[in-house]
Amino acid sequence: MMRGSRILAAAALVVGGALLAGCTGTPAPVHSTAATRTLRAADVAKKIADTELSTASIAQADGALSVNGAPVKVRIDVESVRSLADSTLLTWRLSTVSGAQEKVSTFQFAVAPHLDTRNVALVVDGGATTLRPYTFRYQNDPSQPTSCLCATIPSASDGTGLQLNALMPALPAGTKTVDVSFPGFDVMKGVPVTR
């Protein structure tokens, strides 16, 4: 089922013929050394489809999402930060603390009108570098708002949670750990990077 959702997401990117560019991010002062670059949609689709994803938690943060003005207590489990040759794949799980199915749809991790996770960040070297998910515009309609190579926030989740992903620029060479930041949650520090 997880592989099917990755393939579906990858297929949507291929159909759109996306050109990808590194996101510069808008919140808080950010110093990013990632250069803007272009990736082919077919390469991104293959990367997502071929990646084996972990399901074990390597870092965790509890907090609340603001859903229609009311707090919903959730847990974020980072399952992997995988350094690839030309990008970084963050895999995480969003679940409810209560264990019950609850609405989790929020703009907290993005900026309206986007219900995605483009403001999730990997922070390297104490803040010297901050990486955010790639964003892109469709070639055949560049007037449309940017889209993101990151998960869309689901409408609801439960205690098992949903696995979500974000594809970001490559980490600096030799990076062994990163801090993982989700708006409104404590920063998860020293999260190990796998290669």
Side-chain angles (χ1 to χ4, degrees):
M1 183 165 145
M2 288 184 294
R3 183 171 176 87
S5 64
R6 289 194 312 261
I7 291 171
L8 181 61
L13 293 173
V14 172
V15 170
L19 280 180
L20 310 175
C23 179
T24 58
T26 54
V30 173
H31 305 287
S32 179
T33 58
T36 299
R37 59 178 300 202
T38 300
L39 296 175
R40 293 181 331 131
D43 293 338
V44 173
K46 182 171 180 1
K47 183 185 305 281
I48 292 169
D50 290 349
T51 300
E52 293 296 322
L53 301 176
S54 170
T55 58
S57 179
I58 58 174
Q60 186 178 89
D62 286 355
L65 296 178
S66 177
V67 179
N68 297 325
V72 175
K73 292 183 179 180
V74 297
R75 175 168 295 132
I76 294 173
D77 286 284
V78 173
E79 295 180 345
S80 69
V81 178
R82 186 164 179 200
S83 179
L84 306 168
D86 59 359
S87 57
T88 306
L89 183 63
L90 170 66
T91 302
W92 56 287
R93 184 172 297 274
L94 176 65
S95 58
T96 61
V97 171
S98 69
Q101 182 160 328
E102 298 185 61
K103 292 184 186 251
V104 294
S105 184
T106 181
F107 292 112
Q108 188 166 325
F109 298 146
V111 176
H114 306 289
L115 275 171
D116 59 31
T117 55
R118 67 182 64 208
N119 284 336
V120 170
L122 300 180
V123 181
V124 185
D125 297 330
T129 302
T130 298
L131 303 177
R132 296 193 189 281
Y134 282 114
T135 57
F136 66 93
R137 289 186 189 273
Y138 290 98
Q139 273 184 321
N140 57 352
D141 194 359
S143 66
Q144 291 299 311
T146 59
S147 294
C148 181
L149 282 185
C150 60
T152 300
I153 289 292
S155 59
S157 188
D158 59 17
T160 302
L162 299 165
Q163 192 176 60
L164 306 169
N165 297 289
L167 191 66
M168 303 182 182
L171 289 166
T175 302
K176 293 186 180 354
T177 63
V178 296
D179 296 340
V180 183
S181 174
F182 288 82
F185 289 73
D186 290 338
V187 174
M188 291 172 259
K189 299 204 174 264
V191 178
V193 172
T194 58
R195 298 191 186 285

